[in-house]
Amino acid sequence: MKKLSKMFIALTCVGALLAGCGSGNTAQTQTPAPAQKPAQEQSNSGSTTKTSGEPVTAVGSTALQPLVEQAAKDFMAKNAGAQIQVQGGGSGTGLSQVASGAATIGNSDIFAEEKKGIPANELVDHKVSVVGMAAAVSPKVKVDNLTKQQLIDIFTGKITNWKEVGGDDMKITLVNRPKSSGTRATFSKFALDGKEEAEGITEDSSGTVRKIIAETPGAIGYLALSYFNDTVKALKLDGVEANAENIVTNKYPVWAYEHMYTKGEATGDAKAFLDFILTDEVQKKTVTELGFLPITDMKVERDAEGKVTQK
Amino acid sequence: MSHRTEGINTERKSMIAQKMLTTNKRQKTENITGRTIAMICAGLLVIVVLSITYFIASKGLSTFFVDGVSFKEFLTHVKWDPEGEPSSYGVLPFILGSFFVTALAALIAAPLGIGAAIFMTEIFPGFGKKVLKPVIELLVGIPSVVYGYVGLTLLVPFIREQFDVLGFSLLAGGLVLALMILPTITSVAADAIEAVPQDLRNASLALGATRWQTIWNVVLHSALPGCLTAIVLGMSRAFGEALAVQMVIGNTTKLPSGLFEPISTLTSGITLNMGNTIQGTPYNNALWSMALLLLAMSFIFIVILRLLGRKRLAK
């Protein structure tokens, strides 16, 4: 009995410790650990920025996640004291987490103004890159180009067979993202002129969508350009190919900014990290390697309402 | 001599009796600590259950009381478009999807599971206990994402090629779920069949019944409440399963119209959209209402299980 109660006390202690770890982030934010400083200064001798060691959390868009993860890795390699945690969860999660103060940075594919229920005026937008999106079809589909009207007709369910747009006699299968998805919002706004999509297969991750399109004969869906590989084919829209050249001039209109929102102006490590992502080093190398477009290359600007202006 | 021993014995006995009757300090503290620990644990459990229920209910009910969606519309309309203008919150396709996929899974898994249970308890107990039982229990430990992935990679293309349909379908979901709940049904049913007294079997055989007649009319009959419990347990697992089903049923929000049509379930509707909606918006609240529905369903399953258990006790 005595042993049991001791064990119980020990367990409670462990529980309390674990709980302490959970709230440890906030505790550390208030008081940067002094013990870390000497080590930090030593390793900082060759690098550019000073870090405070405050943990930075970047939560949200799964499309942007690979880029932020890679950038965070590079940033932490350069600045030994910095701690940057990257999590997915979707654009909506990113926006709501940063708005409520639970995350330092909220990653999103869409403008905060576009999402209902987000206090957009409290958030500061940092556009870090641009991503193009294209209609993706299974390689078995013999069609390479669709006009916008054909694309709209396919996604609204008016055209149901590939032979109607010059392909083989094959049934069209729609592969959608959930109604709340940021990618779906962008695609339907700029490729389908906001027309309501017909019901199709719905999956929430770009990876699964790609797998389904690749394996289902006659399937069509949409993916961020960073997700294209040999297994799926990108369609031209009105004869315009979805590539960097056409996106920077808005000749190919289906693209979105990748936003990293902060609540109020960014400070400390969060600011250093955001500045780092905008350096040529990340923009010219990591961003392009991962299938995104450097924000600095854009020749046009687009606002939350979708109005495009020349830079 | 004998008198003396007797005296000592009585003395010792009375000492022991006294010790047993009077509580000493150590015993007392032990009793108290034991009771406190048990009370704390039980109390914590009750608090957790109550607060989860309260939390889901308060979020889920705000769809009706804050956002003004009518309860009837929520349960009976077929159009699910929370972001549309005007928005509509009909979850009937999700509810029906969940029910159909669960029923199909139970239809497939119940005969298989109970058959396997009979095999490993009545027909081939040695092999059953040594090989079959551990293997079936191993199935429980496979994570649902693995079932889903296997379903997506093998089952969906298989159905597509065999029947010349899409592949993502009610059938695929039912098959994956059936496999997932099979171990639950088998092991609970096996326990119920094992608990049938040997005397009943002997009596039946002695009356001239064949082995099959004994199994069918005597053993299964007396183990029936236990087998029903097994099926309901399996169904409650199937109803709440999200990931594996989501990967193979296609998640198309429309009323199920055939075995080969893609459908949605309550759980897949929640998991697909939860990450992209903002706390406190009508859309998010509607998802919580769907969660509340799931919770209500699991309460109903528990009530059914209790009723079945009572029936067994009464016998």
Side-chain angles (χ1 to χ4, degrees):
Chain A
M1 203 62 215
K2 228 176 190 174
K3 259 188 194 164
L4 205 87
S5 64
K6 267 186 192 160
M7 239 166 75
F8 183 79
I9 290 167
L11 273 175
T12 325
C13 289
V14 171
L17 268 174
L18 283 176
C21 284
S23 58
N25 284 347
T26 42
Q28 268 180 336
T29 320
Q30 282 147 7
T31 49
Q36 280 179 345
K37 273 205 169 148
Q40 213 173 282
E41 271 156 23
Q42 263 178 359
S43 62
N44 267 354
S45 51
S47 78
T48 45
T49 40
K50 282 246 159 111
T51 57
S52 54
E54 290 170 22
V56 173
T57 46
V59 183
S61 161
T62 42
L64 183 54
Q65 199 179 356
L67 173 59
V68 181
E69 263 169 11
Q70 187 56 45
K73 222 192 242 171
D74 296 344
F75 184 73
M76 286 189 283
K78 276 185 189 304
N79 308 281
Q83 287 180 55
I84 293 170
Q85 292 155 5
V86 185
Q87 290 164 30
S91 299
T93 308
L95 288 170
S96 65
Q97 295 272 304
V98 72
S100 67
T104 335
I105 299 171
N107 301 332
S108 170
D109 307 344
I110 52 172
F111 281 95
E113 289 86 349
E114 289 179 84
K115 197 90 191 172
K116 276 184 209 161
I118 290 292
N121 52 340
E122 288 174 24
L123 301 178
V124 178
D125 188 5
H126 306 267
K127 300 188 185 82
V128 294
S129 71
V130 166
V131 67
M133 282 155 202
V137 294
S138 124
K140 284 188 185 147
V141 172
K142 297 286 182 301
V143 176
D144 290 312
N145 178 41
L146 286 176
T147 65
K148 199 174 209 178
Q149 193 53 48
Q150 285 173 330
L151 196 67
I152 292 173
D153 285 348
I154 286 175
F155 273 95
T156 50
K158 259 190 217 147
I159 294 177
T160 53
N161 196 306
W162 283 109
K163 70 181 176 195
E164 291 173 63
V165 289
D168 293 343
D169 183 8
M170 195 188 269
K171 215 182 139 220
I172 295 177
T173 301
L174 296 181
V175 186
N176 275 336
R177 303 292 298 278
K179 286 223 163 76
S180 53
S181 146
T183 310
R184 177 168 174 153
T186 307
F187 189 80
S188 103
K189 192 169 178 181
F190 298 109
L192 306 177
D193 289 341
K195 297 278 189 313
E196 174 139 351
E197 291 165 58
E199 283 293 343
I201 302 290
T202 311
E203 288 294 340
D204 64 341
S205 91
S206 297
T208 319
V209 168
R210 180 174 66 197
K211 188 174 157 64
I212 293 174
I213 294 172
E215 291 172 1
T216 315
I220 184 169
Y222 40 84
L223 287 169
L225 290 184
S226 48
Y227 274 96
F228 277 93
N229 61 10
D230 301 340
T231 61
V232 288
K233 195 167 74 171
L235 290 183
K236 286 182 202 149
L237 181 61
D238 286 327
V240 183
E241 202 181 319
N243 58 18
E245 228 175 288
N246 292 329
I247 289 172
V248 293
T249 56
N250 200 40
K251 205 176 159 203
Y252 183 84
V254 192
W255 53 272
Y257 287 114
E258 295 291 12
H259 309 264
M260 291 175 79
Y261 280 99
T262 51
K263 194 175 187 175
E265 286 300 332
T267 52
D269 277 7
K271 186 174 176 5
F273 179 53
L274 288 169
D275 288 344
F276 174 72
I277 293 186
L278 289 174
T279 57
D280 272 1
E281 184 191 346
V282 178
Q283 292 284 319
K284 291 270 177 297
K285 201 170 138 277
T286 323
V287 167
T288 7
E289 270 171 16
L290 291 173
F292 296 88
L293 269 83
I295 188 82
T296 42
D297 285 4
M298 291 305 287
K299 297 206 170 63
V300 292
E301 244 174 305
R302 194 159 72 187
D303 61 12
E305 273 91 55
K307 241 184 21 214
V308 178
T309 45
Q310 293 292 326
K311 238 186 194 173
Chain B
M1 185 77 176
S2 71
H3 181 78
R4 218 172 137 195
T5 355
E6 220 168 76
I8 290 173
N9 268 351
T10 10
E11 205 175 301
R12 195 177 283 163
K13 264 185 198 157
S14 68
M15 254 176 73
I16 291 170
Q18 203 170 12
K19 218 174 186 182
M20 285 176 82
L21 284 175
T22 56
T23 44
N24 64 18
K25 215 179 158 193
R26 206 174 130 219
Q27 244 174 327
K28 229 179 203 166
T29 49
E30 269 178 12
N31 272 344
I32 288 170
T33 34
R35 194 173 292 182
T36 335
I37 292 168
M39 289 281 274
I40 290 173
C41 293
L44 268 177
L45 262 179
V46 172
I47 290 170
V48 166
V49 170
L50 284 182
S51 46
I52 287 177
T53 314
Y54 171 75
F55 180 71
I56 296 179
S58 66
K59 284 247 182 194
L61 288 177
S62 59
T63 308
F64 311 112
F65 297 126
V66 179
D67 306 323
V69 179
S70 86
F71 201 66
K72 205 179 136 215
E73 182 200 332
F74 186 76
L75 287 180
T76 57
H77 279 212
V78 294
K79 193 162 184 283
W80 170 253
D81 189 12
E83 295 219 309
E85 299 280 347
S87 48
S88 53
Y89 301 90
V91 296
L92 190 65
F94 295 103
I95 299 174
L96 287 182
S98 277
F99 271 108
F100 280 125
V101 89
T102 305
L104 182 64
L107 271 181
I108 300 167
L112 280 177
I114 292 172
I118 291 173
F119 178 80
M120 65 196 219
T121 47
E122 298 294 311
I123 296 172
F124 213 157
F127 174 78
K129 281 218 186 78
K130 272 200 198 104
V131 184
L132 204 57
K133 204 163 188 211
V135 168
I136 284 171
E137 273 158 8
L138 205 69
L139 283 178
V140 185
I142 298 176
S144 53
V145 65
V146 176
Y147 282 107
Y149 204 66
V150 171
L152 181 64
T153 323
L154 293 177
L155 188 63
V156 170
F158 179 78
I159 294 177
R160 183 166 55 226
E161 278 151 31
Q162 293 305 307
F163 303 102
D164 195 29
V165 287
L166 197 56
F168 295 92
S169 56
L170 172 58
L171 180 66
L175 283 173
V176 166
L177 273 183
L179 189 60
M180 289 182 75
I181 64 175
L182 190 62
T184 316
I185 294 183
T186 310
S187 48
V188 177
D191 288 343
I193 292 171
E194 250 181 354
V196 174
Q198 192 59 38
D199 291 349
L200 284 180
R201 293 187 187 90
N202 293 343
S204 164
L205 291 170
L207 282 170
T210 61
R211 195 179 181 193
W212 172 245
Q213 285 169 329
T214 308
I215 291 173
W216 185 251
N217 292 322
V218 178
V219 178
L220 267 190
H221 228 81
S222 30
L224 191 66
C227 291
L228 287 178
T229 309
I231 295 170
V232 176
L233 259 180
M235 282 174 78
S236 71
R237 190 180 172 199
F239 202 80
E241 172 54 40
L243 204 54
V245 179
Q246 184 198 315
M247 290 169 91
V248 298
I249 58 160
N251 308 306
T252 307
T253 320
K254 61 174 186 190
L255 288 172
S257 55
L259 262 188
F260 299 112
E261 293 296 313
I263 53 161
S264 295
T265 61
L266 285 168
T267 44
S268 74
I270 295 173
T271 48
L272 281 178
N273 292 300
M274 203 51 122
N276 283 314
T277 54
I278 313 292
Q279 295 280 325
T281 53
Y283 196 161
N284 193 268
N285 287 339
L287 294 179
W288 282 109
S289 308
M290 285 159 74
L292 185 63
L293 258 179
L294 278 172
L295 188 71
M297 273 313 296
S298 63
F299 279 156
I300 292 172
F301 277 123
I302 289 169
V303 169
I304 296 174
L305 282 177
R306 290 258 146 183
L307 290 178
L308 287 174
R310 194 178 289 163
K311 200 172 157 195
R312 186 165 39 172
L313 280 181
K315 270 194 172 178

